[in-house]
Amino acid sequence: MKLTIGHLYPDLLNLYGDRGNIQCFRKRLEWRGIEAEVIPFLSGDEIDFTKLDIVLLGGGSDREQELVCGFLQDIKDDFKNYVEDGGVVLAVCGGYQLLGKYYKTDKKTIEGLGVLNITTDWEPERLIRDIVLESPLFDRPVVGFENHGGRTEIGEHEPFGKVTYGFGNTGKSGYEGVVYKNVIATYLHGPLLPKNPHVCDYLLERALKRKYGEDAVLTLLTDEMEQKANDYIVERYNDKKYVLKET
Ligand code: GLN
């Protein structure tokens, strides 16, 4: 078996080690004897989504998001078709915002892909800290680090998780991210996947099943180190309360 991973715009969307997510996808496939091909698409490159099994859209500053916005408009329809067809996507922070309708700062409105029915408005106070979630997709917590000025309203969408520590989508709603079809969109940087191997395997398995059918499964890995990294964050914030912003 083989999966092809498209890394979108690593020249612009590359904050806080988002690239580590690519390494994690690749390694966890290789450890199971599954071939992994990673294709970095630089801004302006042509992208054939029919060749891709997983897409990573990382985080970026407002300036980089604005630059990316132009390239996204060219691939909007193909990206949408890929998502509607069950294509696997991990979108992080700036990438998450860009999946929505718009990201509005004090200076500009950056048009998104409109893949998700969400909107993001910037506020000057940034939401920065470690974050812990409970996600209905997993029986283990999801941990990460968030740093965003944007507040994302997710409307009717399913959130990725409930915030047990940290800020999340708005700092007020108590929820973080969005899950839609085979898309996970989240503010969690970190990189997200090495500390959350269960999230990585969830996405890999969705991609394998889409390509090879429901019988395709991943063998279990021991994940001793990965679990330690996850436990460390969970334990550190165990007795702390969810941080609600004042209204
Ligand atoms: N520029 C966006 C914000 O501040 C996203 C930042 C990021 O990707 N960390 O909300």
Side-chain angles (χ1 to χ4, degrees):
M1 295 194 287
K2 174 184 171 178
L3 290 182
T4 305
I5 301 160
H7 188 181
L8 262 60
Y9 314 132
D11 50 336
L12 292 172
L13 299 179
N14 53 14
L15 277 182
Y16 307 121
D18 290 340
R19 197 185 296 264
N21 293 320
I22 293 283
Q23 291 303 93
C24 192
F25 279 136
R26 190 207 290 268
K27 273 320 270 185
R28 295 184 72 80
L29 285 170
E30 284 173 5
W31 285 334
R32 276 114 165 186
I34 301 170
E35 203 184 326
E37 185 187 5
V38 177
I39 309 178
F41 294 101
L42 304 184
S43 38
D45 282 356
E46 283 217 358
I47 304 172
D48 181 356
F49 282 90
T50 63
K51 300 250 170 6
L52 302 181
D53 304 305
I54 298 178
V55 166
L56 175 80
L57 197 59
S61 68
D62 293 357
R63 184 188 149 271
E64 288 158 339
Q65 278 177 278
E66 199 187 334
L67 291 170
V68 162
C69 165
F71 301 112
L72 289 183
Q73 298 315 313
D74 296 338
I75 60 163
K76 204 169 183 169
D77 293 341
D78 291 348
F79 202 124
K80 253 190 187 157
N81 291 338
Y82 170 78
V83 167
E84 291 305 317
D85 187 47
V88 172
V89 177
L90 175 62
V92 177
C93 203
Y96 167 27
Q97 296 170 346
L98 288 169
L99 288 190
K101 290 184 166 171
Y102 66 76
Y103 169 46
K104 196 188 272 181
T105 71
D106 55 338
K107 298 181 190 79
K108 298 220 154 62
T109 299
I110 299 170
E111 199 185 330
L113 285 160
V115 165
L116 301 178
N117 204 2
I118 62 170
T119 57
T120 304
D121 287 273
W122 178 89
E123 286 183 23
E125 191 193 352
R126 298 190 70 77
L127 304 179
I128 309 172
R129 66 180 58 228
D130 288 332
I131 175 165
V132 183
L133 310 179
E134 269 165 18
S135 172
L137 300 178
F138 309 109
D139 54 12
R140 287 193 263 164
V142 179
V143 301
F145 168 75
E146 57 180 327
N147 179 356
H148 50 107
R151 307 320 197 239
T152 301
E153 295 291 345
I154 67 167
E156 299 297 303
H157 280 292
E158 290 293 321
F160 177 37
K162 195 167 165 12
V163 178
T164 56
Y165 181 79
F167 294 118
N169 284 333
T170 63
K172 293 173 186 164
S173 69
Y175 290 97
E176 202 290 318
V178 163
V179 180
Y180 174 68
K181 292 188 176 243
N182 285 333
V183 177
I184 291 183
T186 174
Y187 273 116
L188 274 60
H189 283 287
L192 168 68
L193 299 182
K195 280 188 279 194
N196 298 287
H198 45 309
V199 180
C200 187
D201 283 359
Y202 171 85
L203 293 169
L204 292 176
E205 208 158 85
R206 302 303 284 229
L208 284 175
K209 286 186 189 301
R210 176 173 177 250
K211 190 165 182 184
Y212 295 105
E214 281 304 306
D215 290 346
V217 283
L218 288 168
T219 52
L220 283 180
L221 299 172
T222 51
D223 288 335
E224 221 173 292
M225 289 305 289
E226 293 83 347
Q227 196 48 49
K228 254 190 201 163
N230 186 289
D231 288 346
Y232 176 78
I233 303 284
V234 172
E235 277 158 27
R236 186 166 177 184
Y237 298 108
N238 216 1
D239 54 345
K240 309 259 187 339
K241 291 262 171 297
Y242 158 55
V243 181
L244 258 182
K245 303 297 286 183
E246 294 297 318
T247 40

